[in-house]
Amino acid sequence: MSKDYDVAVVGGGLLGSAIAWGLGRLGQRVAVLDEGDITKRASRANFALVWVQSKGLGMPAYTGWTVRAAKSWAQLASALREQSGLDVSLQQNGGFHLTLGGDEYDRRADLVARMHNQIGAADYEMAMVSRAEVERALPGIGPEVSGGSYCPLDGHVNSLRTYRAFHAGLKAFGVDYLPERPVSAITREGDEFRLTTPAGEVRAAKVVLAAGNANQALAPMVGLSAPMGPTRGQIVVTERTQPFLPHPLSTLRQTDEGTVMIGDSKEDVLDDRAMRQGINAVMADRAQRTFPHLARLNVVRSWSGIRVMPRDGFPIYDQSETHPGAFVACCHSGVTLASNHAFEIARMVAGGRLEEELVGAFTAKRFEAAEAKAGSGYY
């Protein structure tokens, strides 16, 4: 009796969809097991940035992995458009992190220096820029803007259209998208995995756990670990306005449809059932201090969401030693890293093994090592 699939991908958000799309592109028989559209998935709360600057302080390998993704995003956007006819509106002409006042500028300059001074850090040309340089690129900044940092690899996309394009591609590749199939148990019998869902069992030769924060509970079922530390964030969206922002900012961007997205909150409280208007007020105030004309715009919608976040903020990519063929993928930057997931992680999963360099940097065993070091009293 043959297995149902070559690979079962658990999780149908942006991360799981990108990996499944990549596997389908390689001719694999794939099923995506998903909770369905009623799920409050992290993909709905993302800020849609393809963002490099600031990624990897404390883990230089993450900087290199992010640069690799940014450089291949144009290839992904082209492939999705050719296949689905959907333009994901990739704009990648550099991005800014702006500072208000001298103290913020100094703190940002210190961070940029620390990033560049890391041993093994990739050179991605992030640099501090003066107020005059910012004003030439972004006319209309407020008097408090003191400058900031700039990276030529940064950009943004229409993330909802990207998600739709991936799912159109899944269908074209013959990938089975199975909604309302949350996985409650995974066992390995012989050379196949058996995944238990409310709609019955699914069998596959390999399994990829891409279920966001739920990976923490699923990973131990296949001899893996995924320590997570999710956070909560809020996003505010204004009415459409004339194009004024040719470069995205780390906390503010103008979409291809003309709206302005504002979002830079981070909370440890994981209740997204209600908005905290005080947080929205602070974000809106900073936005209008950065670009004063934003004060004239109406807010048309806002939302909160729970972000996927490994405990230390860096991605987890791992393969099981006790359950060969089982993989786990967790990351916060599902948009930025989508090209790596579609082209690189999918290729490795299809081949049956993650590259040693990837596992060495991003294995969850780093948490065990950190805990052992802390317990020994050596820091």
Side-chain angles (χ1 to χ4, degrees):
M1 195 170 182
S2 63
K3 306 173 189 65
D4 295 334
Y5 299 98
D6 296 322
V7 187
V9 177
V10 182
L14 196 54
L15 171 59
S17 297
I19 294 173
W21 181 88
L23 289 166
R25 179 172 171 265
L26 295 173
Q28 298 282 291
R29 294 178 302 133
V30 183
V32 177
L33 307 180
D34 195 22
E35 288 184 309
D37 288 341
I38 62 171
T39 302
K40 290 186 176 181
R41 65 176 81 253
S43 294
R44 74 181 179 88
N46 73 71
F47 204 60
L49 294 177
V50 177
W51 208 249
V52 174
Q53 61 176 296
S54 306
K55 299 287 182 68
L57 184 60
M59 183 185 280
Y62 184 30
T63 305
W65 183 240
T66 305
V67 168
R68 186 174 176 180
K71 290 182 175 180
S72 60
W73 236 104
Q75 178 187 352
L76 175 62
S78 177
L80 290 173
R81 183 170 188 171
E82 181 178 349
Q83 181 187 42
S84 68
L86 294 169
D87 182 359
V88 301
S89 300
L90 173 66
Q91 176 190 317
Q92 201 171 11
N93 61 341
F96 289 86
H97 177 99
L98 298 188
T99 58
L100 301 179
D103 289 344
E104 277 193 18
Y105 185 90
D106 291 342
R107 288 195 297 271
R108 188 66 180 179
D110 178 66
L111 182 143
V112 170
R114 290 164 62 200
M115 291 288 297
H116 282 303
N117 291 339
Q118 288 190 115
I119 296 174
D123 182 10
Y124 55 100
E125 302 175 53
M126 178 175 67
M128 294 299 295
V129 289
S130 67
R131 175 187 167 84
E133 292 173 293
V134 171
E135 196 163 20
R136 282 195 292 272
L138 303 172
I141 58 173
E144 293 182 70
V145 175
S146 51
S149 59
Y150 171 80
C151 176
L153 294 176
D154 288 338
H156 59 149
V157 298
N158 185 313
S159 59
L160 291 179
R161 201 175 298 142
T162 300
Y163 185 61
R164 181 183 168 196
F166 271 133
H167 275 257
L170 295 180
K171 186 175 181 179
F173 285 138
V175 172
D176 286 342
Y177 173 70
L178 306 176
E180 300 179 15
R181 301 280 186 102
V183 174
S184 58
I186 308 172
T187 60
R188 181 174 172 83
E189 297 184 19
D191 60 350
E192 69 178 14
F193 290 93
R194 298 192 173 195
L195 298 90
T196 303
T197 80
E201 186 178 79
V202 174
R203 299 177 302 140
K206 299 171 190 165
V207 61
V208 178
L209 302 180
N213 294 315
N215 278 349
Q216 181 161 290
L218 294 170
M221 298 178 186
V222 291
L224 290 167
S225 175
M228 305 300 290
T231 61
R232 180 186 188 272
Q234 295 187 177
I235 291 176
V236 171
V237 183
T238 74
E239 62 186 320
R240 290 177 174 83
T241 188
Q242 290 294 320
F244 76 97
L245 193 54
H247 300 268
L249 277 57
S250 54
T251 60
L252 190 153
R253 72 184 191 94
Q254 187 169 28
T255 71
D256 59 296
E257 299 168 337
T259 60
V260 179
M261 290 185 70
I262 303 164
D264 58 354
S265 69
K266 181 179 179 181
E267 305 167 70
D268 292 329
V269 177
L270 303 182
D271 183 353
D272 63 351
R273 291 175 296 180
M275 299 296 297
R276 297 183 175 177
Q277 298 306 329
I279 290 174
N280 283 354
V282 170
M283 295 193 302
D285 176 67
R286 184 179 179 90
Q288 64 88 22
R289 289 162 64 197
T290 305
F291 291 98
H293 79 277
L294 292 179
R296 302 194 297 268
L297 299 181
N298 294 311
V299 170
V300 295
R301 63 183 180 276
S302 61
W303 64 85
S304 64
I306 306 303
R307 301 187 183 103
V308 174
M309 188 71 72
R311 191 176 296 165
D312 61 1
F314 302 125
I316 297 171
Y317 304 107
D318 234 337
Q319 57 197 22
S320 179
E321 297 174 1
T322 60
H323 296 65
F327 302 85
V328 65
C330 310
C331 75
H332 167 61
S333 300
V335 176
T336 298
L337 298 176
S339 56
N340 280 354
H341 297 149
F343 296 136
E344 307 298 339
I345 297 297
R347 171 181 56 80
M348 296 178 206
V349 170
R353 189 163 190 80
L354 299 180
E355 291 175 357
E356 201 62 42
E357 183 179 354
L358 191 74
V359 176
F362 299 115
T363 176
K365 291 178 182 177
R366 67 181 185 264
F367 296 99
E368 300 172 13
E371 290 170 2
K373 186 175 182 180
S376 71
Y378 293 98
Y379 296 90

